[in-house]
């Protein structure tokens, strides 16, 4: 199941006429990361002026064309004027209510824009129920918090607290409401309504029931911020996607082969591979073939020459088998690279035979397997320069040092310098006792292989340019403890 998700996230802290709020900028930055992790394409605006907020909303409207789900998040000052809600820009004019209205973003405008878009589901989240710091300067009543609003069909509007009540700026990095959101947002397989109930419970406990969040919903269908792969992918059953749940029946030849492949002993794995023939493949259920594919890849990374040979000669080894059966085995091999035995995304892919398997992407008849992988990885798009399986080329420009011509100094992808200290790996600049960068000597080919793994892009699709010509046998200096990975 593929979903198109877009979000506009705004956090205003540095108000010119009300002093600085501590949390909203942090709230927006952290929500942007969380939403990106759930598959949203996120636009973030920090400390937006009225003009910037207006433009951001117009751009957001354009981005919602052919989008399934739109989400708007605002943290900062929100005020109620004559029963309507306004989200204050950092340069809001506060002489009177009229000026404030015309220099703020009207919540009704956001609602109307999202209602008339192509989206099926719209979510508006407001951590903006703080006190009105300008109330004394205005003639009108000091209406507390934000007013309730009508939620059009397919829309959920979530407030940090109940209508007419106030929420305070938090004591930590995040406001209490956003902190609760961040705790529950990415919980797998929890519907959006159930997620907000969890947020309400957490928020209530954190504030001694002084702040109770509230939602108005007219959603017509179910929405989940984070669907586990077993819920998103229906091609195979849960026991295949989480193959630690797959029950082995050794009376079946195919199950016996899987059992031997799971042995982690190549003297048992190699003979088992001999039993995988085109005739046998055509008689086996696709869930079993998927699990078999997973374990063929696992065996190949553990030095089973027969499993590795099967990958290299996949077309020949499976020739004559039904297309759906061949697909199930290759689907399993690709899935095993990126997902663990519970069906969760690996922190780091299994790279040992990564490039060998992705060589099969050259064959048009096998395209559906790579489409399957791309669908599995789509919610994690923010972790990749290009979603594996899509077949997109990635260009990397490597700059070598001037004083030390062999030292890799910078790596540019998409115009951005991406080489950085890996905080999770010792040996980088921050961990070196002498304060110097230490290097590993690597050939040009080894550097290219390293970049393929770092960028998670098959070598066939990775185009690398060096700042000056590098001979095939030339030794380059690769900084130890540095990475090109996108931050998780």
């Amino acid at each position: 199941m593929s979903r198109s998700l877009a979000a506009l996230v705004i956090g205003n802290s540095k108000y010119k006429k009300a002093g600085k709020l501590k949390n909203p900028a942090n709230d927006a930055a952290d929500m942007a990361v969380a939403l990106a992790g759930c598959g949203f394409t996120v636009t973030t605006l920090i400390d937006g002026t009225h003009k910037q907020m207006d433009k951001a909303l117009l751009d957001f409207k354009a981005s919602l064309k052919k989008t399934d789900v739109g989400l708007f998040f605002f943290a900062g000052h929100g005020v109620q004027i004559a029963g309507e809600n306004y989200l204050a820009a950092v340069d809001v004019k506060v002489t009177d209510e009229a000026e404030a209205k015309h220099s703020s973003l009207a919540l009704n405008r956001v609602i109307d824009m999202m209602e008339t878009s192509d989206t099926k589901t719209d979510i508006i989240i407001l951590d903006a129920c703080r006190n009105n710091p300008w109330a004394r300067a205005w003639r009108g009543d000091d209406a507390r918090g934000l007013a309730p609003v009508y939620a059009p069909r397919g829309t959920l509007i979530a407030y940090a607290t109940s209508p007419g009540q106030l929420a305070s700026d938090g004591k930590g990095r995040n406001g209490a409401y956003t902190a609760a959101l961040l705790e529950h947002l990415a919980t797998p397989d929890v519907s959006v309504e159930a997620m907000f109930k969890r947020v309400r419970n957490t928020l209530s406990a954190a504030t001694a029931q002084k702040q109770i969040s509230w939602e108005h919903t007219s959603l017509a269908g179910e929405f989940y911020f984070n669907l586990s792969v077993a819920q998103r992918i229906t091609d195979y059953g849960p026991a295949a996607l989480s193959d630690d749940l797959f029950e082995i029946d050794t009376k079946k030849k195919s199950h016996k082969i899987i059992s031997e492949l799971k042995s982690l002993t190549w003297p048992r794995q190699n003979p088992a591979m001999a039993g995988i023939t085109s005739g046998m493949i055509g008689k086996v259920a696709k869930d079993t073939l998927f699990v078999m594919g997973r374990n063929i890849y696992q065996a190949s990374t553990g030095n089973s020459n027969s499993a590795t040979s099967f990958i290299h000669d996949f077309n020949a080894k499976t020739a004559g088998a039904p297309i759906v059966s061949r697909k199930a085995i290759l689907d399993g091999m690709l899935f095993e690279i990126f997902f663990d035995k519970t069906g969760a995304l690996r922190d780091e892919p299994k790279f040992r035979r990564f490039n060998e398997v992705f060589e099969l992407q050259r064959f048009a008849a096998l395209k559906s397997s790579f489409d399957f992988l791309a669908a599995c990885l789509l919610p994690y798009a923010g972790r990749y320069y290009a979603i594996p399986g899509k077949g997109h080329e990635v260009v990397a420009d490597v700059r070598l040092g001037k004083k030390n011509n062999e030292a890799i100094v910078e790596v540019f992808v998409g115009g951005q310098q991406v080489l950085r200290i890996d905080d999770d790996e010792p040996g980088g600049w921050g961990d070196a006792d002498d304060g110097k960068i230490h290097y590993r000597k690597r050939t040009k080919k080894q550097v290219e292989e390293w970049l393929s793994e770092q960028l998670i892009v098959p070598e066939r699709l990775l185009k690398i340019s060096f700042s000056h010509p590098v001979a095939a046998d030339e030794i380059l200096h690769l900084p130890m403890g540095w990475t090109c990975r996108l931050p998780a």
Side-chain angles (χ1 to χ4, degrees):
M1 183 179 72
S2 177
R3 307 187 298 177
S4 177
L5 316 172
L8 172 59
V9 175
I10 300 175
N12 289 345
S13 285
K14 296 180 180 178
Y15 283 93
K16 297 177 182 179
K17 300 293 184 180
K20 182 178 179 180
L21 292 174
K22 179 181 178 181
N23 299 122
N26 295 335
D27 293 340
D30 294 346
M31 279 294 294
V33 172
L35 291 170
C38 293
F40 280 82
T41 299
V42 184
T43 299
T44 306
L45 176 61
I46 303 296
D47 294 325
T49 63
H50 178 234
K51 184 176 180 180
Q52 290 171 331
M53 290 174 66
D54 185 70
K55 184 179 185 303
L57 187 66
L58 291 175
D59 291 343
F60 183 48
K61 179 180 180 180
S63 75
L64 293 181
K65 293 181 179 179
K66 298 182 180 180
T67 298
D68 298 318
V69 179
L71 185 145
F72 177 87
F73 174 89
F74 177 83
H77 276 304
V79 295
Q80 179 185 160
I81 302 174
E84 293 193 19
N85 299 316
Y86 297 87
L87 310 177
V90 293
D91 60 348
V92 60
K93 298 177 181 179
V94 297
T95 303
D96 55 38
E97 292 97 321
E99 283 195 344
K101 286 169 59 176
H102 294 296
S103 57
S104 297
L105 180 60
L107 177 59
N108 281 340
R109 185 180 167 206
V110 177
I111 296 170
D112 291 344
M113 182 276 293
M114 297 182 76
E115 181 185 11
T116 56
S117 68
D118 295 332
T119 52
K120 298 176 182 177
T121 299
D122 295 314
I123 300 170
I124 297 172
I125 304 175
L126 304 170
D127 195 349
C129 304
R130 296 164 175 82
N131 67 306
N132 181 351
W134 311 294
R136 290 185 179 181
W138 297 354
R139 295 180 181 178
D141 295 333
D142 179 16
R144 292 167 56 86
L146 297 179
V149 294
Y150 166 72
R153 180 177 172 81
T155 301
L156 182 147
I157 303 174
Y159 294 86
T161 191
S162 302
Q165 300 302 309
L166 299 178
S168 60
D169 221 17
K171 296 180 180 179
R173 173 177 171 81
N174 300 112
Y177 179 62
T178 297
L181 272 173
L182 293 169
E183 181 176 339
H184 297 292
L185 185 74
T187 305
D189 303 332
V190 176
S191 70
V192 63
E193 291 96 339
M195 188 278 293
F196 276 111
K197 287 180 181 178
R198 296 186 181 195
V199 169
R200 183 156 40 255
N201 289 338
T202 296
L203 179 64
S204 178
T207 62
Q209 298 185 359
K210 294 180 180 179
Q211 187 173 338
I212 307 297
S213 59
W214 180 83
E215 301 85 44
H216 188 132
T217 178
S218 295
L219 292 182
E222 293 282 355
F223 174 73
Y224 299 79
F225 279 99
N226 184 10
L227 277 173
S228 66
V229 68
Q231 293 295 322
R232 290 186 292 106
I233 305 299
T234 58
D235 304 55
Y236 305 99
L241 297 170
S242 304
D243 78 339
D244 62 337
L245 301 177
F246 187 78
E247 296 183 5
I248 299 291
D249 180 358
T250 54
K251 295 178 181 179
K252 298 179 179 179
K253 182 179 179 181
S254 57
H255 285 230
K256 178 66 174 177
I257 290 172
I258 292 172
S259 178
E260 294 297 287
L261 292 176
K262 285 179 176 289
S263 70
L264 304 181
T265 305
W266 62 261
R268 292 173 59 184
Q269 293 168 334
N270 285 342
M273 288 299 305
I276 304 177
T277 64
S278 295
M280 184 275 288
I281 291 172
K283 300 176 183 178
V284 177
K286 69 174 187 177
D287 273 20
T288 302
L289 292 172
F290 183 85
V291 174
M292 188 179 293
R294 296 193 66 170
N295 285 278
I296 288 171
Y297 185 83
Q298 168 62 33
S300 74
T301 64
N303 296 322
S304 168
N305 292 331
S306 296
T308 302
S309 176
F310 184 90
I311 293 173
H312 288 164
D313 302 326
F314 181 81
N315 277 326
K317 297 281 188 182
T318 61
I323 294 175
V324 67
S325 301
R326 300 175 75 205
K327 179 182 183 300
I329 292 180
L330 183 52
D331 286 356
M333 291 195 293
L334 289 165
F335 193 83
E336 180 67 17
I337 296 173
F338 292 93
F339 294 89
D340 66 18
K341 64 182 181 180
T342 69
L345 187 72
R346 298 183 187 279
D347 291 332
E348 181 168 318
K350 281 186 178 180
F351 282 112
R352 184 73 184 277
R353 304 298 176 192
F354 173 74
N355 278 294
E356 288 95 323
V357 175
F358 272 84
E359 277 295 304
L360 298 172
Q361 196 171 10
R362 296 180 296 114
F363 300 100
L366 304 179
K367 179 180 181 298
S368 59
S369 284
F370 293 90
D371 291 340
F372 164 79
L373 176 66
C376 292
L377 295 177
L378 187 61
Y380 315 104
R383 301 192 183 193
Y384 306 104
Y385 293 96
I387 297 177
K390 287 287 190 181
H392 296 157
E393 288 188 350
V394 172
V395 176
D397 292 288
V398 180
R399 187 172 74 82
L400 303 176
K402 294 181 179 179
K403 293 183 179 179
N404 182 352
N405 289 338
E406 300 84 11
I408 295 173
V409 177
E410 293 177 317
V411 177
F412 289 86
V413 178
Q416 299 293 318
Q417 202 291 108
V418 299
L419 183 63
R420 61 180 177 82
I421 298 170
D422 187 352
D423 295 329
D424 296 327
E425 180 182 336
W429 173 269
D431 296 304
D433 293 336
D434 56 9
K436 297 180 180 179
I437 299 177
H438 295 269
Y439 296 91
R440 295 186 178 95
K441 293 182 178 181
R442 293 291 186 266
T443 64
K444 178 184 178 183
K445 175 62 176 174
Q446 288 173 325
V447 168
E448 290 171 342
E449 291 172 348
W450 179 80
L451 281 170
S452 173
E453 292 190 5
Q454 288 289 305
L455 303 177
I456 316 180
V457 177
E459 289 183 44
R460 183 177 58 84
L461 297 173
L462 180 59
K463 309 304 177 185
I464 302 172
S465 297
F466 292 91
S467 57
H468 63 250
V470 177
D473 59 350
E474 186 173 341
I475 297 298
L476 300 174
H477 293 169
L478 192 63
M480 296 174 61
W482 290 60
T483 183
C484 294
R485 291 278 173 82
L486 288 169

